[in-house]
Amino acid sequence: MPIRSLLFALCFLPAAATLRAAELDLNAYDEDNALDVHEICAACHGEFGQGGGDGEYPRLAGLPAGYIAGQVEDFKSRKRLNIPMLPFATERELPAEDVRDIAIYLSRIKLAPKLPVFAEGTDSYTKLLATRQVFNVPRIEGDLARGRVVLQKGCAKCHGKRGAGRAQVPPLAGQYSSYIRRQIDHILAGRRSHPDPEKYLRPYDDADWQALLAYLSTLDD
Ligand code: HEC
Ligand code: HEC
């Protein structure tokens, strides 16, 4: 590619995809405000953004900040319908600064894949807190080899080879299996936006999804 078109591509192609992420001004991040806003979110998504209800409430901890902010803006504009979040996904309840702060705050929470080894005499409260910061998707039965092929051929170019996600693309690994499955159904039913679902998701059947979820459940150990 001639250098000029390459520069053009570098400047303009990713622009649409990273626009929302680029709007997150890290210098303006206000942690106190994030902690205030987080009190609302924690009621459903957990005090460490670990989610709950076996995937009724997705994990938010460690998701890319630009992605979190983009989804909350989509909830506010009703582009993505989320009934439990309707009452406060509004400009009044969650102005842009709040969306920025909570997105950055949640993206920085690190959950451990397993419990640490506690030093002797560690108090039970510390242990309890550590337990809540462990997140590991329970293993799902399924054809791992087939699941691996679905991920590598179908999803990896955007969601990453190990399903870990990218700036504007959510991870598929490390998220509740039931949540991922429900989102696939929403996407295929046209209730949730996704790049070309006919091309990328429609070709697969239930057995492929079972296999994919089984494989994904091995990737966050
Ligand atoms: C009353 C419960 C409730 C509260 C409070 C709540 N959420 Fe949610 N949220 C949900 C549910 C339910 C979903 C999943 C919707 C679905 O299944 O599509 C969700 C989904 C999300 C998602 C999408 C994640 C993904 O990968 O698809 C984001 C981001 C999110 N919430 C952010 C927040 C933030 C930030 C707050 C606090 C300002 C918050 N939520 C407060 C219930 C809640
Ligand atoms: C061309 C890029 C691309 C490909 C290929 C792709 N995805 Fe996605 N996927 C995205 C983007 C971007 C989003 C975020 C969509 C949004 O903002 O609503 C997404 C969102 C999702 C979500 C929602 C996850 C969540 O936490 O809310 C699921 C589930 C999903 N994709 C599954 C798949 C599967 C399964 C495959 C492979 C069979 C796949 N995708 C292939 C780009 C892609």
Side-chain angles (χ1 to χ4, degrees):
M1 193 188 290
I3 191 79
R4 274 189 56 189
S5 5
L6 183 67
L7 283 177
F8 184 86
L10 284 176
C11 293
F12 292 100
L13 276 185
T18 54
L19 189 63
R20 296 192 293 194
E23 282 166 359
L24 292 183
D25 180 357
L26 294 177
N27 296 318
Y29 173 58
D30 175 349
E31 174 122 354
D32 288 339
N33 187 45
L35 287 167
D36 278 352
V37 177
H38 189 233
E39 285 183 19
I40 311 175
C41 320
C44 293
H45 293 280
E47 65 180 309
F48 300 105
Q50 74 275 33
D54 189 30
E56 182 67 27
Y57 305 109
R59 165 198 188 156
L60 302 177
L63 297 188
Y67 172 73
I68 296 176
Q71 295 303 308
V72 175
E73 290 299 342
D74 287 354
F75 295 143
K76 284 166 64 178
S77 70
R78 311 293 188 248
K79 182 180 161 209
R80 177 175 171 192
L81 191 62
N82 181 340
I83 291 169
M85 285 181 63
L86 276 181
F88 45 87
T90 63
E91 197 49 43
R92 200 186 134 125
E93 300 297 327
L94 282 179
E97 309 81 67
D98 287 5
V99 176
R100 173 199 64 214
D101 293 341
I102 190 65
I104 294 172
Y105 176 79
L106 289 165
S107 73
R108 289 178 176 175
I109 300 179
K110 287 199 172 56
L111 300 178
K114 52 178 177 243
L115 262 185
V117 181
F118 294 111
E120 216 174 302
T122 306
D123 64 280
S124 48
Y125 183 64
T126 308
K127 285 185 183 164
L128 180 69
L129 278 187
T131 316
R132 294 205 200 121
Q133 292 172 76
V134 170
F135 190 97
N136 199 292
V137 176
R139 288 289 175 98
I140 296 250
E141 289 283 316
D143 182 342
L144 297 180
R146 181 170 175 177
R148 187 171 179 280
V149 172
V150 175
L151 181 70
Q152 301 311 338
K153 291 213 170 131
C155 330
K157 81 166 176 173
C158 301
H159 289 277
K161 280 197 172 143
R162 293 185 56 82
R166 306 234 161 103
Q168 289 291 326
V169 188
L172 298 177
Q175 183 56 279
Y176 294 92
S177 306
S178 66
Y179 184 73
I180 294 295
R181 186 59 237 247
R182 193 161 80 243
Q183 295 308 311
I184 290 175
D185 291 341
H186 285 331
I187 293 165
L188 286 169
R191 287 189 293 268
R192 172 143 190 214
S193 67
H194 189 278
D196 203 345
E198 293 309 311
K199 176 171 166 196
Y200 295 120
L201 279 88
R202 187 73 65 197
Y204 299 102
D205 60 20
D206 279 347
D208 291 316
W209 297 138
Q210 181 69 25
L212 174 67
L213 293 175
Y215 181 60
L216 290 170
S217 75
T218 67
L219 292 180
D220 71 333
D221 293 349

